[in-house]
Amino acid sequence: MSIEPPARGVIPYIFCADAGAVADWCVEVLGFVERERWPDEAGVVRNVELMVGDSEVWLDGPVPDWKEKTGGLGSWVGVLVDDVGAVHDRLVAAGVELDPPRTRDHRVKEITVTDPEGHGWGFVQRLH
């Protein structure tokens, strides 16, 4: 099955109890770039678009019961990078505690950091 026109990529869509706080964390800690955010009339952030290179991640919230709705599974978003060791060093310098990069049997090196709501953000370097 093919998609017409050809697909150019995917957009991970993350449900959050506080999309604004998760977006702020992603910008400050992970170095993502905020494209735009949409607050409601009361000033509550309902949606945020983040840029990761040429790709986008969308945050939606508040969804206070997202853990119950999803069975507590949360999410994991993989971000391809050229040097996972450099990302690890930058995160550690920012005060994030995480394990060193690990090499997986499917020819990638990766780290995963968890945001304040429990979503996993993986940084993946392909090994050739």
Side-chain angles (χ1 to χ4, degrees):
M1 178 176 135
S2 66
I3 298 172
E4 297 296 330
R8 295 186 344 199
V10 297
I11 300 173
Y13 195 79
I14 311 299
F15 296 101
C16 305
D18 186 339
V22 173
D24 293 343
W25 183 88
C26 287
V27 168
E28 292 170 22
V29 175
L30 302 182
F32 294 178
V33 175
E34 184 172 311
R35 183 170 183 228
E36 196 162 356
R37 71 172 56 200
W38 290 270
D40 63 15
E41 302 80 31
V44 175
V45 176
R46 296 292 175 176
N47 298 94
V48 181
E49 291 181 5
L50 300 172
M51 298 302 298
V52 184
D54 292 333
S55 299
E56 297 182 30
V57 174
W58 293 357
L59 306 178
D60 182 53
V63 183
D65 58 347
W66 71 264
K67 288 185 182 181
E68 290 86 34
K69 287 183 176 181
T70 63
L73 296 176
S75 60
W76 185 90
V77 176
V79 179
L80 289 170
V81 298
D82 292 328
D83 184 352
V84 76
V87 174
H88 176 270
D89 293 347
R90 185 172 61 77
L91 291 171
V92 169
V96 176
E97 291 185 33
L98 72 156
D99 293 331
R102 64 183 180 145
T103 301
R104 305 292 301 273
D105 57 359
H106 47 281
R107 296 189 309 274
V108 297
K109 185 184 286 190
E110 69 179 26
I111 57 172
T112 295
V113 61
T114 304
D115 74 22
E117 290 195 6
H119 303 288
W121 298 88
F123 291 87
V124 181
Q125 174 184 346
R126 293 198 184 279
L127 304 174
H128 302 278

